[in-house]
Amino acid sequence: MPRLVVVSNRVAVPDPEGPRQAGGLAVAVNAALKRREGIWFGWSGEISEDDNPPQVVQRRQRSFVTIDLSSTDFQEYYNGFANRVLWPILHYRVDLAEFTSVELGGYLRVNARFADALSRFIRPDDWIWVHDYHLLPLAKELRARGHDNPIGFFLHIPCPSPDILLALPQHLETVGALSHYDLVGTQTQHDADNLRQYFELQGANFARNRTYFDIEGRRVQLRAFPVAIATRVYARTARTAMRSDFANEVRDSLNGRSLILGVDRLDYSKGIPHRIQGFGQFLETFPDWRGRITYLQVTPKSRSDVPEYADINQTVNTLVGQINGRFGAPAWTPIRYVNRAYSRASLAALYRMARVGLVTPLRDGMNLVAKEFVAAQNPEDPGVLVLSQFAGAAEELGEGSILVNPHEPEAMAAAIDTALQMPLAERQSRYRRMFRHLAAHDIDRWAESFLAALMESRHTTPRILDNLRQLFAARG
Ligand code: G6P
């Protein structure tokens, strides 16, 4: 089995002392590195002006290799281009994008730095798997340094239609650079279709099955690989976590009230203000529920140096205050709003305790909270998932959840009421349908199918043979 080199902006270097807080990307990368010799390369999370050599942490057959960023790099690459240009545009928010060519320069420079630092760790027979929007041009940089290895890319966030992608200044240097990978994976078929249309506009020639294209003499495979979770492990974690002090304390504090739960990073793509307004509408339209439910919104802060994130913080605080002020009573607070991050086990307990899970982003690549919420449920008495039609997860969980348009507060209010009133038999059958799917499509299968496709990429026949084959097939 070849060695696997994984590259992502953040690296979850194992910390035996720290809590297990790994997010979706870390769980995915760990699945890919399972049972394989490998390297995980990326940013250390530290800012330093010194030209320190890469730091290497060895854990059995895996090496974690990280580099620091200078404050200019951090500002231009991470805060600037990645999170003020690519993040909003890829989440369909062209209105929030703040582009300057200085920041694009910083983004390209850091990608080149990553390639320089990584270069000496790469062996000719390694497979390389690059993750997410921070590193779109990395394959181009590695190829320029003579690495002919199979290189795959997975985009964890959405990919909008070319109408929106073309608003990205100098898009050929970023999105266009994806054509230097052997394989490009997206979360959903919808994302893959959007990217295919973008490359068609750039003159790419797609094979009839639409998964391979040729451009400037390079051949690229483009497919959807919906990211997943370790379903059965997570279900076990949730069962065990219910016995923790944390779980008991929260359960006692509810005082018999039903729990409505939201868990999201503080980010404008998550639709938290819309959700709170939908919840306010619910209390307005269905007054019988007042005093009988508690809505807990767990929202760790993120990317605090980016101005749009400071704005969303203010907006959410104001809305929570308004709803609590308007509907609250001395013995009842409708919304509990918490900015702390919790361990995976604590979150699993909250999911299992909740009667309703609100996962209503305005746009989301996948949203693993939706999948974890389902996996964590008690099969005998499961809670109900209220899911945005704009989350990637809706392609897989649309039938078992209650789908909503987060822009419609009345629909959100009605969905919460329906979820709270849903009879046990219906909750069980929805849960079973979703759990079966998640158990069959778990994170191990996701990682293996991506890597199998990467291997296949290297064994495709030249295009001329494809075309001949298609010609014969068409003639019957
Ligand atoms: C999303 C992205 C990840 C990113 C995470 C946290 O899930 O897809 O690449 O790591 O958000 O954001 P942060 O900026 O804190 O790394």
Side-chain angles (χ1 to χ4, degrees), residues 8-10 24-25 43 78 83 87 91 131-134 155-157 265 267 270 301-303 364:
S8 59
N9 177 56
R10 286 196 192 268
L25 192 143
W43 174 39
Y78 175 81
N83 287 323
W87 180 270
H91 283 88
H131 290 258
D132 233 355
Y133 60 102
H134 314 85
L155 182 64
H156 288 254
I157 68 175
R265 242 176 354 93
D267 193 299
K270 304 292 182 185
K301 289 195 177 167
S302 90
R303 305 179 193 164
D364 217 327

Side-chain angles (χ1 to χ4, degrees), residues 47-55 67-70 73 113 116-117:
I47 311 288
S48 163
E49 305 309 321
D50 305 332
D51 195 14
N52 296 328
Q55 298 117 58
I67 55 170
D68 300 340
L69 292 180
S70 72
D73 285 350
R113 263 203 71 200
D116 279 337

Side-chain angles (χ1 to χ4, degrees), residues 268-326:
Y268 49 81
S269 65
K270 304 292 182 185
I272 303 168
H274 297 69
R275 189 181 310 160
I276 294 172
Q277 266 151 356
F279 177 73
Q281 185 67 49
F282 159 76
L283 294 178
E284 179 75 53
T285 318
F286 303 97
D288 286 355
W289 287 113
R290 292 183 199 168
R292 294 168 54 209
I293 45 96
T294 293
Y295 167 24
L296 168 62
Q297 177 64 46
V298 177
T299 301
K301 289 195 177 167
S302 90
R303 305 179 193 164
S304 315
D305 297 332
V306 177
E308 290 73 25
Y309 288 76
D311 294 349
I312 189 81
N313 185 30
Q314 183 116 47
T315 309
V316 173
N317 277 320
T318 308
L319 277 169
V320 169
Q322 277 169 3
I323 305 275
N324 279 343
R326 172 148 178 234

